[in-house]
Amino acid sequence: MSTFQDNFINILKTNGLSITRQRQLLFDLLQDQDPLSMNELTELVGTTIDRASVYRIIATFEETGIVRRISIGWKFKIELSEAFVAHHHHLTCLSCQLVVPINQEKLESFISELADINNFQPIQHQVEIQGYCQRCQANRNIA
Ligand SMILES: [Zn+2]
Ligand SMILES: [Zn+2]
């Protein structure tokens, strides 16, 4: 059994939740995936799970820290939380909703330094950069 699967089961158990076939299927779909919008997710699921259940399960996943939400303007995408993937941040395109993961040691050490300077004990942080990807910048210049 993979660590992924163990973590998943542990988080569910800790929260008094059982492993249902639907929860397992959604969790499997989120693995090895770029962040997905709810539309993309429901499309991937097809008719296997009805839309309302997908939303309900993802809400449960969010509450229990299995997934996290990446905001893109008013919209958002879902990805597995840091219980499953290494710490990282995102560049998100407000036009095409592209999400690019970024991981820079410089950023991490600068954040600890900032906390240190302020005698602050950091627990977690979020750094999300929103803007326009290269392709959308080009399109905007034409328009
Ligand atoms: Zn774009
Ligand atoms: Zn970081």
Side-chain angles (χ1 to χ4, degrees):
M1 203 185 271
S2 70
T3 346
F4 259 61
Q5 183 64 19
D6 288 345
N7 282 356
F8 178 56
I9 292 167
N10 281 338
I11 294 174
L12 286 178
K13 270 189 191 157
T14 308
N15 288 280
L17 298 166
S18 54
I19 307 144
T20 63
R21 203 192 300 176
Q22 295 188 337
R23 283 175 183 152
Q24 182 70 58
L25 183 80
L26 278 174
F27 178 72
D28 290 343
L29 279 177
L30 286 163
Q31 290 182 44
D32 303 317
Q33 279 282 355
D34 288 334
L36 295 169
S37 68
M38 289 306 289
N39 268 338
E40 289 166 338
L41 195 56
T42 47
E43 261 171 42
L44 271 179
V45 168
T47 51
T48 331
I49 312 174
D50 67 272
R51 212 180 161 78
S53 301
V54 173
Y55 274 80
R56 199 185 57 240
I57 292 166
I58 292 300
T60 306
F61 280 5
E62 250 190 290
E63 283 162 25
T64 53
I66 291 168
V67 300
R68 69 168 165 176
R69 191 184 278 234
I70 306 158
S71 298
I72 310 170
W74 294 104
K75 298 175 182 169
F76 67 90
K77 287 191 178 185
I78 293 292
E79 72 172 3
L80 287 179
S81 75
E82 285 176 10
F84 305 97
V85 294
H87 180 76
H88 64 279
H89 301 279
H90 302 102
L91 302 170
T92 53
C93 179
L94 294 167
S95 180
C96 70
Q97 271 81 54
L98 174 78
V99 179
V100 180
I102 47 170
N103 184 358
Q104 275 285 335
E105 194 41 52
K106 250 189 222 169
L107 174 65
E108 299 308 319
S109 54
F110 184 57
I111 287 169
S112 347
E113 205 180 304
L114 278 180
D116 263 8
I117 293 168
N118 292 285
N119 295 315
F120 196 80
Q121 183 194 5
I123 301 296
Q124 58 133 336
H125 61 260
Q126 286 156 17
V127 179
E128 303 296 318
I129 303 175
Q130 306 198 341
Y132 298 101
C133 71
Q134 198 166 21
R135 197 175 58 108
C136 291
Q137 287 172 52
N139 292 343
R140 282 164 67 80
N141 288 339
I142 295 161

